[in-house]
Amino acid sequence: MLAGCAHYSALPLATTAPLATTVAALDGPASSTPLTVDQVVTLALTNNPDLRAARLKRGVAEGQATQASILANPSLSGAFLPLLSGAGTVPAWNLGLAQDIKSLVTYRARRRAATASTRQVAADIVWQEWQIAGQARQLATDIIIGTRSRPTYVTAYDLLSDRNGKLERALAARTVTLVTVAPDRVALQAARTSLNTLDQTLLSQRHQLNALLGLTPDAVVPLATAPDLPPFDPAAIRAGLATLPDRRPDLLALRLGYAAADEQLRVAILSQFPDLILGDSASSDSSKVINGGPNVQVGLPIFDRNQGNVAVARATRAQLQADYAARLAAATGTVGALLREYEQLAAQLAIARRDLPAARIAASRAQAAFGASNIDERGYVDLVSNRFAKEEEIMTLELALFDRQIAIQTLVGADLPTIDLSAEQAGSGR
């Protein structure tokens, strides 16, 4: 009997932060070569501390489902009454065995509710995996695009810094006025601010990516020079919105939660009937007279007919129904809005790319003209700065386009983990 019992074992808490110091120390496809976005996503799904903790919730839900599937134990009662005085000749005794029938009536509904709750936890975990994967894609892509665009910001700043240095020396020599120098000072300050903002953003994004992967803040994550994202087809995504409720883990989780609440309402309704305990007992008095037979215990539902629990269960189910409708509307509306924003950004990016060759030609000609002393330095700097501004605009639009694409693919689950759950199971929880 002792061998079949559960035993206690200590599970001490960590005394140091469980963070890896290098990418190679992580579980998964860690490598010294630059990581692709897809590899970063895999590392995040494997090593993210929050995901590791969330996956343990499945064990809790499975334990609750196991408990719900166990029948209620019968109860055994007995007594031994030694003879102390009187006309009797032997000690008296009694023995009884009883079973709660009401727990059997609600058994199937309770088991279905626990099963739906377990599946809900599994769906919630997959949805959290989608969020972590989307964040990993977003951060890795932003870092790649930001790192690739940084040389343009540096070149623009160096050009304006060089010109500003010449003007400051000319101002000291009193060959130009402060009015002439002021616009260049403003332009240089703007270029420095843009470069500093980019560096601050990149550092913050690297720290966020490290935290997502379970790395220390100073760990270096080598990334590829270009983002590799899943194929993106806006028309196919728009056409697939009708089946989104059958694929989105958060929507499936809400449907399973609704199924569990529906079964809990069944349990509450079944529990309004009287308590019923059936059993059998035998007894012997001090004169050796033995009696035995069945016995019944019935609760009288005079005051408590479980009406409070029924009302709570009914209201909970109604709330979950409304929550699901709201989430479904938000899911469809958000994807549709992001697709429209993507189309707008794509159109703006096409116009910016169309204008870029002209800006580059003008800058190239300005450089040649400036070398031949056919244009003043201010005109040369303005034309070259216009080229840099156009290139920065394109990179900003590209990044915004990638951001919308990643957000959409995260919401529809492109190349992301799936939950093995049919629509029928999700709707009924059975």
Side-chain angles (χ1 to χ4, degrees), residues 3-22:
C5 295
H7 295 275
Y8 168 81
S9 60
L11 186 62
L13 296 173
T15 56
T16 59
L19 297 176
T21 57
T22 63

Side-chain angles (χ1 to χ4, degrees), residues 52 60 158 296 306 332:
R52 285 182 170 178
V60 177
D158 290 342
V296 179
N306 209 41
T332 305

Side-chain angles (χ1 to χ4, degrees), residues 375-408:
I375 189 176
D376 60 15
E377 186 176 4
R378 178 57 185 269
Y380 160 67
V381 172
D382 288 344
L383 290 173
V384 174
S385 297
N386 179 64
R387 170 201 165 185
F388 290 140
K390 184 61 65 175
E391 290 176 344
E392 292 175 6
E393 177 189 3
I394 290 175
M395 287 183 287
T396 300
L397 289 172
E398 285 178 343
L399 183 58
L401 203 64
F402 276 126
D403 288 347
R404 299 304 189 282
Q405 177 180 340
I406 292 170
I408 294 170

